[in-house]
Amino acid sequence: MSGKPASHHRPVAERAQEATGAITPAVGSVGIGKSLRDSRIEGSATGSPVGQCTANLLEEGRSLTKYDDADWHYGGIFPDDLPNAAGGTHIGMFVAWCLLSGFAGEDIADELEPLESRESTPGAFLMDVLDEKFVSDDLTADGNAFAVAYYAGEHDDSCYLVDYLDAFGTTPTEIYRVEDSWETYDVIADRIGARFHAWLDAGRPQFVSAR
């Protein structure tokens, strides 16, 4: 376990607010509302982390985005020798970076202690606290703007997943074998942070290109 304090990313959010002011997330389906933790989408699983990773959900007349769900992965083409939790590791790493960087939404802001203390790994936090799902009400407006640009992508062509595969020298079929650990987080957090600052410096474009 790394001794690096989890709170070291928090100033990132302050820079986001200073860049050009808060921007509403680029995809019109991202909004505000009650948590969708109990919502499910039938037939949404693709079995591939490089395939579709967003889905639009409606609740009480408001539109929200489910960016990803561990079930979309372990419920599809998935290694028989791995636990279901392995389908959420790559999701949890990005979510943990956002939450520890000051982009936690109101619904989750008071539940971060297991991450801040590193008592819970990012993947375990996603599975246990976030009910296996990554949805837009987990994040602030700034966090959602970055998630849309980097995690989701223009055509579900996630730049984050490209970076994740490269960082760990793995492939789409082997991605679930990356360990859910704080050592893994520290590696990918550097990539995410670099992408975030480049996104800010570029004027917060609607989408991030992997090129």
Side-chain angles (χ1 to χ4, degrees), residues 15-184:
R15 187 180 173 206
Q17 294 173 350
E18 293 170 356
T20 55
I23 295 178
T24 301
V27 174
S29 60
V30 179
I32 59 174
K34 184 180 177 183
S35 173
L36 299 180
R37 291 284 157 227
D38 297 325
S39 299
R40 293 180 59 85
I41 300 177
E42 299 302 328
S44 294
T46 65
S48 170
V50 188
Q52 178 181 349
C53 69
T54 58
N56 300 330
L57 304 176
L58 290 174
E59 183 173 281
E60 298 179 357
R62 291 167 295 193
S63 182
L64 296 170
T65 291
K66 181 193 281 190
Y67 293 111
D68 216 338
D69 188 326
D71 180 62
W72 295 354
H73 302 275
Y74 68 71
I77 301 172
F78 190 76
D80 293 336
D81 62 320
L82 292 180
N84 289 350
T89 299
H90 66 286
I91 309 170
M93 295 296 161
F94 179 79
V95 174
W97 184 91
C98 291
L99 299 182
L100 294 175
S101 296
F103 300 122
E106 292 183 2
D107 289 348
I108 196 66
D110 294 332
E111 301 183 48
L112 303 185
E113 197 279 331
L115 284 180
E116 293 174 335
S117 65
R118 297 198 169 193
E119 176 182 351
S120 174
T121 57
F125 185 85
L126 176 90
M127 301 299 283
D128 299 338
V129 178
L130 302 183
D131 195 28
E132 307 187 1
K133 304 168 182 65
F134 172 29
V135 299
S136 54
D137 61 348
D138 292 333
L139 305 179
T140 62
D142 285 316
N144 275 300
F146 182 56
V148 167
Y150 179 57
Y151 192 96
E154 186 172 8
H155 302 293
D156 287 320
D157 52 350
S158 174
C159 180
Y160 167 69
L161 287 175
V162 173
D163 284 348
Y164 191 92
L165 295 175
D166 181 67
F168 301 109
T170 190
T171 65
T173 57
E174 295 296 311
I175 188 173
Y176 305 116
R177 299 189 183 280
V178 176
E179 183 182 9
D180 176 27
S181 68
W182 283 104
E183 288 75 16
T184 293

Side-chain angles (χ1 to χ4, degrees), residues 192-210:
I192 300 171
R195 287 288 191 181
F196 177 80
H197 290 295
W199 177 71
L200 288 183
D201 291 340
R204 299 168 55 125
Q206 188 172 4
F207 300 108
V208 173
S209 172

